[in-house]
């Protein structure tokens, strides 16, 4: 998490995301530029919608920073950008409503156009279901299965070859699939 006023400083708090939570990212062939995704947002929000979303994001952050990562679909029920941005990609609204055993929650990734699902199991089935949901709305998509990168971005004086960096991630994924 980061806090910034875009002027003086950035305050950062970090927690490591467990390997047991797998990420399924479904990216539609339709690209929504960030400026377009911002344009659909209202200039003002209803207080109840702001409180609704703040309550869920606070609990989401608390469970992550407690180390428990007790995520559930209601924590991803956003009223500040999902209702507006889901209209930009056919099928996204239904993707956000998908429920499945092992699915902790689905959200729009960033400003869109991808959705990200947090899973504890059955990630292939969940990815297929999300992709099928988009396809039924006429939207082709790709599915990526991954884990969180707990190292984050870094600045070094030397170049780290891309394949070396990817090798560690691929090894991690391979180890999980063998279990």
């Amino acid at each position: 998490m980061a806090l910034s006023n875009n002027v003086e400083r950035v305050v950062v708090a970090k927690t490591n995301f467990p390997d047991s939570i797998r990420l399924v990212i479904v990216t539609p062939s339709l690209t929504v530029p960030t400026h377009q995704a911002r344009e659909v947002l209202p200039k003002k929000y209803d207080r109840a919608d702001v409180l609704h979303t703040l309550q869920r994001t606070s609990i989401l952050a608390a469970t992550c920073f407690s180390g428990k990562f007790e995520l559930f679909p209601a924590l991803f029920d956003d009223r500040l950008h999902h209702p507006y941005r889901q209209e930009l990609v056919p099928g996204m609204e239904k993707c956000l409503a998908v429920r499945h055993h092992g699915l902790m929650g689905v959200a729009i990734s960033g400003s869109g156009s991808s959705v990200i699902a947090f899973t504890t199991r059955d990630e292939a089935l969940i990815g297929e279901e999300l992709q099928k949901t988009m396809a039924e709305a006429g939207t082709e998509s790709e599915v990526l299965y991954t884990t969180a990168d707990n190292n984050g971005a870094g600045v070094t004086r030397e170049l780290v070859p891309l394949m070396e960096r990817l090798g560690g991630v691929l090894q991690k994924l391979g180890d999980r699939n063998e279990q």
Side-chain angles (χ1 to χ4, degrees):
M1 290 180 17
L3 171 65
S4 171
N5 65 3
N6 291 326
V7 177
E8 297 170 14
R9 68 184 187 140
V10 176
V11 179
V12 177
K14 180 182 182 242
T15 185
N16 283 333
F17 217 73
D19 288 337
S20 61
I21 298 177
R22 304 273 306 191
L23 307 174
V24 178
I25 302 167
V26 181
T27 303
S29 56
L30 171 69
T31 302
V32 178
T34 302
H35 74 274
Q36 183 182 352
R38 287 183 180 150
E39 287 173 0
V40 300
L41 298 176
K43 301 283 185 239
K44 294 183 179 185
Y45 290 94
D46 183 67
R47 181 187 308 243
D49 289 340
V50 172
L51 291 174
H52 173 93
T53 302
L54 281 174
Q55 288 170 341
R56 280 143 187 81
T57 55
S58 296
I59 293 171
L60 179 63
T63 190
C64 291
F65 280 91
S66 74
K68 294 180 182 177
F69 289 87
E70 295 170 344
L71 310 180
F72 51 93
L75 290 179
F76 298 88
D77 181 23
D78 170 275
R79 293 186 184 168
L80 300 184
H81 79 116
H82 284 181
Y84 310 99
R85 291 179 170 165
Q86 70 188 10
E87 303 301 323
L88 299 173
V89 178
M92 185 174 282
E93 181 177 5
K94 287 187 177 180
C95 283
L96 294 172
V98 166
R99 299 295 179 260
H100 192 284
H101 189 70
L103 176 60
M104 303 172 93
V106 182
I108 295 175
S109 183
S111 64
S113 53
S114 298
V115 293
I116 184 167
F118 298 80
T119 69
T120 56
R121 56 188 263 180
D122 297 332
E123 58 265 12
L125 290 173
I126 292 165
E128 289 170 13
E129 185 171 346
L130 291 168
Q131 189 172 40
K132 179 182 172 191
T133 300
M134 281 201 178
E136 288 172 351
T139 305
E140 292 183 31
S141 61
E142 291 183 282
V143 181
L144 173 68
Y145 303 94
T146 189
T147 57
D149 178 0
N150 287 316
N151 296 323
V155 178
T156 64
R157 292 188 180 270
E158 56 190 73
L159 293 175
V160 177
L162 178 60
M163 290 311 294
E164 181 181 317
R165 177 112 165 114
L166 286 176
V169 172
L170 294 174
Q171 178 64 43
K172 202 167 153 181
L173 291 173
D175 293 346
R176 270 191 64 92
N177 289 333
E178 291 175 6
Q179 295 175 352

